[in-house]
Amino acid sequence: MQYCSTRGGVQGWDFKDVLLSGYAPDGGMFMPETLPTLTPDTLRSWSSLSYPQLVTEVCSLFIPTELIPRADLDGLVSAALSGFAVPGVVSLARLKGGLCVLELFHGETLAFKDLAMTCTVRFLDYFLRKESRRAIVLVGTSGDTGGSAIQSAKGLRGVDVVVVYPRGRITLVQEKQMITCLEDNIHVFAADGSSDDIDVPIRRLFSDQQLVKQHSLMSLNSVNWSRVMVQLAHFLYAYLHVSGLEQAETGAPLPTLEMVVPTGGAGNIAAGCIVKQMGIPLCLIAMTNANDIVHRTVQSGDFSMATNVTQTMAPAIDIQDPYNMERVFWLLSGRDGALVKGMMEEFQHSHRHTLPEALHKQVRCMNTSFTCSCRKISAQYRWLCNVLAQITTHTYPPPP
């Protein structure tokens, strides 16, 4: 299994290289060059698996045994998912009228991101230990990613985690989860503006390949393919337990399952789209709050930021730049890297783009104050560079 960039400029990377990175060198996001097809027989053979066992099967499709032998993969996933509050790691609540809720909040930080984050950090630690390497993990968070990254990586000898969160825009619980961790390898900063504002200098950092190599810089946001990969299991677990697959006659079409997905940065909905491309008949519904760029993109093809990020009671999805939609566009455009490159560069420059008609049609079939001055971007960028340069001394410049 090899990986390429959604913008067409990078091919042939392996899982380890993709894991130990952030954005691709051409500014795109990593995706598998090919996706496996899941047959009805495979799905039926997985129907009795526990959630950790299913995660292991999913990961084995994308991580060659030459990089992580199967026995090691079993151990890593089992250890990663051993600290959850319910025996099954996730729990399925069956309500009236055929409605089911897949509970993904039983991890340490009560966020669904604990599931993929714990596994991704275990994979990271595995490679760093084997090669006696260190890495600096840079995380921008709208609330839940930062706490999850901290809880998963605290105390690891080979990893320094730098988390930047938007001051005054996350819940008190989320903030306490981050700022009360006193491990030496955890470094937490508050910055003015929204999480989208924070993402701008972070993306600039990852575009500087010399800086990335100098500091062994990587991401634990859902920019990282490993996060999305593990999240494929959410959709497969729900499908296996809710769709009625076991009652379907052999040779009959697979039953369709409708899934509603809360959507901010669009990592989870991107995972759902990938599962669809692997042959699972899902009807995906992206649920947004007032920051409704994904809704507008699906309904009218208007992939444009609003003027400001609206603060809501769901700060984790208070996002106007759903960067994982780049993966969705790449999949639904027939993996047209040149098209995606042009679209995303226009969007990053102007904060708006109208989808081509053909692509918008595909997106529709999938389911049925952002103003940041150049001076502010430059100040945040310089500050983050200084943090990286001084990470080993634990002496940090104040945020701009």
Side-chain angles (χ1 to χ4, degrees):
M1 175 65 71
Q2 292 188 313
Y3 295 84
C4 62
S5 168
T6 51
R7 301 191 186 183
V10 180
Q11 295 87 29
W13 284 37
D14 66 20
F15 175 78
K16 183 185 74 172
D17 293 333
V18 169
L19 175 70
L20 296 171
S21 68
Y23 290 95
D26 64 352
M29 306 179 78
F30 283 110
M31 285 286 285
E33 292 185 356
T34 59
L35 290 174
T37 298
L38 297 176
T39 66
D41 288 343
T42 297
L43 293 174
R44 289 188 175 91
S45 72
W46 286 357
S47 61
S48 61
L49 297 181
S50 66
Y51 183 82
Q53 290 171 332
L54 181 61
V55 170
T56 302
E57 293 296 337
V58 170
C59 291
S60 71
L61 299 175
F62 299 96
I63 307 174
T65 54
E66 306 87 69
L67 290 178
I68 303 181
R70 180 56 186 257
D72 290 352
L73 183 61
D74 289 342
L76 290 170
V77 173
S78 178
L81 300 177
S82 63
F84 284 70
V86 294
V89 181
V90 300
S91 180
L92 187 66
R94 297 182 183 272
L95 309 179
K96 294 180 179 179
L99 177 65
C100 298
V101 177
L102 184 60
E103 298 177 352
L104 305 177
F105 50 75
H106 296 292
E108 283 196 64
T109 73
L110 310 179
F112 87 95
K113 293 177 181 178
D114 290 339
L115 293 159
M117 189 72 75
T118 54
C119 293
T120 296
V121 169
R122 291 280 178 165
F123 300 154
L124 169 63
D125 188 51
Y126 177 85
F127 288 119
L128 293 177
R129 286 177 180 271
K130 284 186 68 175
E131 300 179 6
S132 299
R133 291 178 55 185
R134 291 189 63 82
I136 295 178
V137 175
L138 182 55
V139 178
T141 182
S142 58
D144 51 0
T145 301
S148 185
I150 287 169
Q151 290 299 318
S152 298
K154 65 181 182 181
L156 293 182
R157 291 176 297 173
V159 180
D160 276 290
V161 180
V162 180
V163 175
V164 187
Y165 70 90
R167 182 184 287 109
R169 289 176 175 262
I170 65 175
T171 69
L172 183 60
V173 170
Q174 291 168 333
E175 186 171 41
K176 295 298 185 185
Q177 286 175 342
M178 292 186 276
I179 65 176
T180 58
C181 182
L182 302 180
E183 296 286 348
D184 288 343
N185 70 321
I186 303 299
H187 321 284
V188 181
F189 302 90
D192 293 330
S194 70
S195 63
D196 287 341
D197 295 329
I198 292 169
D199 283 342
V200 175
I202 288 177
R203 186 183 282 268
R204 284 193 62 192
L205 285 171
F206 279 107
S207 69
D208 185 338
Q209 290 303 297
Q210 182 178 351
L211 183 142
V212 168
K213 292 177 182 178
Q214 178 183 353
H215 297 290
S216 297
L217 191 63
M218 63 164 291
S219 174
L220 279 179
N221 287 88
S222 56
V223 168
N224 195 306
W225 159 253
S226 179
R227 286 270 312 279
V228 176
M229 173 187 71
V230 177
Q231 287 172 188
L232 304 182
H234 305 345
F235 296 87
L236 289 166
Y237 186 88
Y239 187 82
L240 293 172
H241 288 268
V242 178
S243 68
L245 173 67
E246 288 297 296
Q247 288 73 46
E249 295 183 7
T250 302
L254 291 173
T256 298
L257 180 65
E258 181 178 270
M259 298 189 69
V260 180
V261 185
T263 302
N268 218 18
I269 201 78
C273 289
I274 293 167
V275 169
K276 284 193 68 169
Q277 295 262 324
M278 293 169 68
I280 310 304
L282 300 177
C283 176
L284 297 172
I285 300 175
M287 186 279 292
T288 67
N289 58 18
N291 300 286
D292 63 348
I293 182 172
V294 174
H295 171 75
R296 288 183 283 108
T297 301
V298 173
Q299 294 300 315
S300 65
D302 176 25
F303 186 56
S304 302
M305 289 183 179
T307 304
N308 296 295
V309 175
T310 301
Q311 288 187 258
T312 74
M313 295 185 68
I317 57 174
D318 287 351
I319 294 172
Q320 287 284 351
D321 182 1
Y323 48 82
N324 276 290
M325 287 300 290
E326 179 164 342
R327 287 183 161 120
V328 175
F329 297 152
W330 183 77
L331 285 170
L332 299 183
S333 67
R335 307 179 187 188
D336 189 335
L339 173 66
V340 171
K341 181 177 186 292
M343 289 174 53
M344 298 312 299
E345 288 180 351
E346 178 184 336
F347 177 74
Q348 287 164 8
H349 175 71
S350 66
H351 301 162
R352 59 182 59 253
H353 180 78
T354 300
L355 297 191
E357 184 177 348
L359 178 57
H360 179 228
K361 182 178 180 181
Q362 291 297 317
V363 171
R364 287 276 294 181
C365 290
M366 176 183 75
N367 63 1
T368 183
S369 133
F370 189 72
T371 306
C372 192
S373 71
C374 294
R375 186 170 64 85
K376 182 177 179 182
I377 292 173
S378 179
Q380 290 177 331
Y381 177 74
R382 288 196 302 270
W383 170 70
L384 283 168
C385 287
N386 287 336
V387 168
L388 295 174
Q390 299 175 53
I391 196 73
T392 56
T393 64
H394 290 193
T395 58
Y396 310 113

